[in-house]
Amino acid sequence: MLGSPPEPPRPPLPAAPEVEPDPLDSTQVNGRRCGRGHLNDPRLGQCAFCGLPVEDGGGQLVAGPRPALGLLVFDDGTTYSVDAEYLVGRMPEGDSRVAGGALRSLAVEDPSGAVSRVHAEVRVSGWDVLLADAGSRNGTFVSGPGEPEWTQLPEGQTHRLVPGTRVRLGGRSFLFESPSGVR
Ligand SMILES: [Zn+2]
């Protein structure tokens, strides 16, 4: 965390046996730990939280609670931590997946009226953040890092968000930021 005093290095954690995450528990993920015990995407060589090398652990992965995978930074400065899966739209709270607790409501206002009541889904799978259009009227568009143009997501297709990707819904947009995301 920014601003916190540096922690003294701790001795490395003992090698943990490989653990299969409970498939019913979507908050668990397989990864590798740094010397301070932060769980990381196994595709990274350095800890996304403290920069220490991520231990190879003899090639075995350990299961643990999934950390937040990044931030959705909206055009008005509002941010949402990707520590849950979201349903984005003008009135997502009316959807059964929000009422049932599968997705968290992320309501956006759009003066142009081009955002659908239920517009797009932000999902997580392992260490990846995925975007899909949720049957919106005007479509969901993405623009990868350094790409000048917008590309519409085909219906029913998920798109992995790499850090620096912009997403446009109607008259609104957000940027996906992640210190730990694999590009
Ligand atoms: Zn760390």
Side-chain angles (χ1 to χ4, degrees):
M1 288 291 121
L2 288 177
S4 60
E7 296 172 37
R10 290 178 199 149
L13 296 174
E18 185 160 9
V19 183
E20 285 297 320
D22 181 345
L24 295 176
D25 185 353
S26 63
T27 65
Q28 294 280 307
V29 69
N30 279 326
R32 295 206 169 98
R33 294 192 190 279
C34 75
R36 288 184 181 150
H38 300 129
L39 192 64
N40 278 271
D41 186 327
R43 293 170 292 190
L44 295 174
Q46 280 191 316
C47 178
F49 306 95
C50 71
L52 282 182
V54 172
E55 287 156 14
D56 144 282
Q60 291 199 320
L61 301 179
V62 295
R66 177 177 13 232
L69 295 182
L71 279 180
L72 311 179
V73 183
F74 275 80
D75 45 9
D76 63 358
T78 314
T79 63
Y80 297 87
S81 175
V82 187
D83 56 0
E85 298 187 303
Y86 288 101
L87 188 60
V88 189
R90 200 159 37 79
M91 294 182 66
E93 63 277 10
D95 190 272
S96 62
R97 288 167 292 178
V98 170
L103 297 173
R104 190 185 291 173
S105 167
L106 197 168
V108 295
E109 288 183 20
D110 181 10
S112 77
V115 172
S116 293
R117 294 157 70 94
V118 169
H119 200 113
E121 296 174 22
V122 175
R123 294 192 170 271
V124 293
S125 173
W127 293 92
D128 291 335
V129 179
L130 306 174
L131 176 76
D133 186 78
S136 72
R137 187 157 45 89
N138 295 307
T140 299
F141 296 79
V142 295
S143 175
E147 288 178 12
E149 73 283 350
W150 294 99
T151 305
Q152 184 169 3
L153 286 186
E155 199 177 331
Q157 202 171 101
T158 58
H159 178 85
R160 184 167 82 86
L161 293 180
V162 298
T165 300
R166 290 175 298 148
V167 177
R168 184 157 64 78
L169 327 156
R172 299 296 308 274
S173 67
F174 67 83
L175 172 69
F176 174 64
E177 285 186 353
S178 173
S180 60
V182 171
R183 284 163 208 273

